[in-house]
Amino acid sequence: MIIDIHTHTFPAKIAALAVEKLSRTSHTLPFSDGTPEGLLSNMQRAGIDRSVILPVATAARQVEHINDSSARLNEEYENENKGLFSFGCVHPDHECYREELARVKTLGLKGIKIHPVYQGVNLDDIRFLRILDRAAELDLAVIAHAGYDIGFPGVVRCSPRMARNVIDQIGQFRLILAHMGGWRQWDEVPQLLADTGVYIDTAFSTGSFHPLDDGHWKTKEETDMMDTDQFMTLYHAFGPERIFFGTDSPWSDPQESLEFIQNLPLPQADREKILGDNALKLLNLK
């Protein structure tokens, strides 16, 4: 089974506008219309069986509504056996974060997504530390954007060092650092995090991204991401049990993302762990 642990969708009424805005901000091409139906179409084309949708709350007032919507989506798509399910979310300024995370658990959501850049708070700030400690207490998985963000040049709010600070203070919990542990900070990731229990995902990190034809990205070097050698360095540092396949849909071509993993010089058993077995185990999926 192939599971994409890192995707994004938007409600139908705002999907087109949201994707267009994010595309212009990041100067990158989208590969779907940003709706669940668009994601399902891409999954079918690439041969992906299940996808995890990761919602982001950019304001505290959005949190309850997003979590309710995520729970409804899960019920709808589980009943229709369509292979999509959503995480919940939280915002670092949410005053009732303890109660809301408990409600996330009650709603049956497997974990939460946080995005320190979009939410304007460093991962090792007390506002996130208390949320992460509560998530650990509830045994909720947490997926965090890590490293630079293509839409916010020069901004890092979840560096490998910050992630290490979190682990040193809270201890081990089910933390997945997106974008191979820190987008374009990959040299620091094994040095600071390989000896922890932190997980990493492959979303928007392999091969090259596809730029808009607007002249922003001038050279191929600017659009290159992780090559085979860089990936194998992290594979050897973390082991196959701590790496999850992700695409960051709609911002990567899922077929290209999958082919990168399929073409790596890995034992087949390790490839299967990365592509789906690890997600089945971590999220207790059937």
Side-chain angles (χ1 to χ4, degrees):
M1 177 176 287
I2 298 175
I3 300 174
D4 183 348
I5 204 168
H6 191 135
T7 71
H8 303 284
T9 65
F10 306 92
K13 63 182 180 181
I14 67 166
L17 183 62
V19 169
E20 180 186 7
K21 179 180 178 180
L22 291 168
S23 177
R24 283 190 281 104
T25 300
S26 62
H27 307 277
T28 58
L29 285 171
F31 284 86
S32 87
D33 62 4
T35 64
E37 291 71 26
L39 173 58
L40 284 166
S41 178
N42 275 351
M43 289 167 58
Q44 184 175 18
R45 176 173 61 86
I48 295 169
D49 299 293
R50 305 182 77 170
S51 288
V52 181
I53 298 170
L54 303 178
V56 177
T58 56
R61 66 180 182 276
Q62 300 171 339
V63 169
E64 286 89 349
H65 171 72
I66 291 175
N67 288 333
D68 288 339
S69 296
S70 296
R72 286 195 298 270
L73 182 148
N74 288 352
E75 182 177 2
E76 174 187 353
Y77 283 101
E78 182 179 2
N79 290 341
E80 297 178 9
N81 195 29
K82 286 189 174 180
L84 295 184
F85 70 96
S86 181
F87 268 30
C89 69
V90 72
H91 190 279
D93 292 330
H94 196 288
E95 292 184 358
C96 300
Y97 70 91
R98 291 185 60 84
E99 294 80 4
E100 185 60 20
L101 288 175
R103 197 173 75 89
V104 164
K105 183 85 171 183
T106 301
L107 288 170
L109 302 173
K110 299 285 188 178
I112 57 169
K113 169 65 186 291
I114 59 174
H115 199 307
V117 174
Y118 279 28
Q119 295 173 322
V121 176
N122 290 351
L123 187 73
D124 56 358
D125 184 283
I126 185 59
R127 286 171 287 176
F128 268 133
L129 284 171
R130 62 192 186 183
I131 284 170
L132 297 172
D133 187 60
R134 177 62 166 158
E137 179 184 327
L138 293 166
D139 197 30
L140 289 169
V142 178
I143 298 183
H145 174 91
Y148 292 99
D149 185 283
I150 195 170
F152 292 77
V155 177
V156 178
R157 291 193 175 274
C158 177
S159 67
R161 170 54 65 188
M162 293 174 191
R164 181 69 196 221
N165 292 342
V166 167
I167 296 300
D168 288 345
Q169 293 183 69
I170 294 177
Q172 181 53 40
F173 63 104
R174 296 196 294 165
L175 174 63
I176 303 171
L177 296 175
H179 315 299
M180 294 301 282
W183 197 70
R184 287 189 167 169
Q185 295 188 301
W186 296 309
D187 290 342
E188 301 174 38
V189 173
Q191 300 169 17
L192 291 166
L193 297 170
D195 65 340
T196 71
V198 163
Y199 303 93
I200 59 179
D201 79 27
T202 69
F204 201 75
S205 295
T206 58
S208 300
F209 64 81
H210 293 255
L212 281 181
D213 187 19
D214 61 1
H216 179 80
W217 305 107
K218 309 287 185 190
T219 66
K220 183 179 182 300
E221 287 73 19
E222 290 180 299
T223 60
D224 282 344
M225 295 191 287
M226 185 174 287
D227 61 19
T228 297
D229 289 343
Q230 286 177 301
F231 188 98
M232 294 304 293
T233 295
L234 286 170
Y235 161 80
H236 289 299
F238 282 78
E241 294 83 4
R242 290 168 58 194
I243 304 174
F244 295 79
F245 173 66
T247 65
D248 207 13
S249 178
W251 307 112
S252 293
D253 182 337
Q255 187 64 52
E256 287 183 8
S257 299
L258 188 56
E259 287 175 355
F260 183 94
I261 305 300
Q262 290 171 330
N263 291 332
L264 290 169
L266 300 176
Q268 184 58 25
D270 288 357
R271 194 184 333 274
E272 289 174 0
K273 289 176 182 177
I274 293 169
L275 288 177
D277 289 353
N278 292 339
L280 284 172
K281 182 178 180 181
L282 182 80
L283 302 177
N284 193 25
L285 301 176
K286 298 178 182 179

